[in-house]
């Protein structure tokens, strides 16, 4: 299952292709971020392919960043692993009492990724994780 925040279909134009491109670098991510901020200020975010959800744009940026870092450090001898993690809709002071997950349940995936089998994480280095499983992004 892919949540709305993880689904590239909420973006339009070339933006989904750019976010998953192997050519995307830190400068490209900054351009996307600054473009979103500017477009929101002008009320033109949809014309540039952005959804009207700042949190979703921020989450997409973090996922793209994890993918980019995994690619950049792929040959690093330290064997660094990068992951973006979605804890789910967790009950907090901000989300209120109606979110379906407790904080303990929301912490399961980040803890799993932090402690998971090294081989499984390497196969999905730079990936998005939810409910202790990698998601296609």
């Amino acid at each position: 299952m892919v949540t709305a925040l993880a689904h590239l279909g909420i973006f339009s134009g070339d933006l989904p292709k750019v976010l998953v491109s192997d050519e995307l670098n830190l400068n490209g991510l900054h351009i996307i971020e600054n473009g979103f901020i500017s477009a929101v200020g002008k009320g033109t975010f949809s014309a540039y392919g952005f959804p009207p959800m700042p949190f979703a744009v921020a989450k997409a940026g973090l996922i793209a960043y994890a993918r980019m870092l995994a690619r950049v450090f792929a040959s690093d001898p330290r064997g660094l692993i990068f992951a973006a993690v979605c804890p789910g809709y967790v009950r907090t002071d901000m989300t209120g009492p109606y979110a379906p997950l407790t904080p303990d349940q929301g912490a399961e995936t980040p803890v799993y990724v932090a402690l998971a089998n090294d081989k499984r994480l390497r196969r999905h280095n730079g990936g998005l994780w939810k409910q202790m499983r990698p998601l296609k992004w």
Side-chain angles (χ1 to χ4, degrees), residues 50-109:
F50 295 108
M53 301 179 295
F55 183 80
V57 175
K59 188 75 165 178
L62 290 172
I63 297 166
Y65 189 55
R67 290 171 51 88
M68 181 196 67
L69 289 173
R71 196 175 61 249
V72 168
F73 288 97
S75 62
D76 189 288
R78 294 172 289 176
L80 301 173
I81 296 173
F82 299 89
V85 178
C86 179
Y89 190 39
V90 177
R91 274 177 247 144
T92 65
D93 290 342
M94 185 174 85
T95 61
Y98 303 108
L101 300 176
T102 66
D104 286 347
Q105 291 169 321
E108 287 175 357
T109 299

Side-chain angles (χ1 to χ4, degrees), residues 26-37:
L26 190 55
N27 187 52
L29 274 174
H30 284 301
I31 290 169
I32 292 169
E33 292 168 353
N34 290 332
F36 178 69
I37 292 167

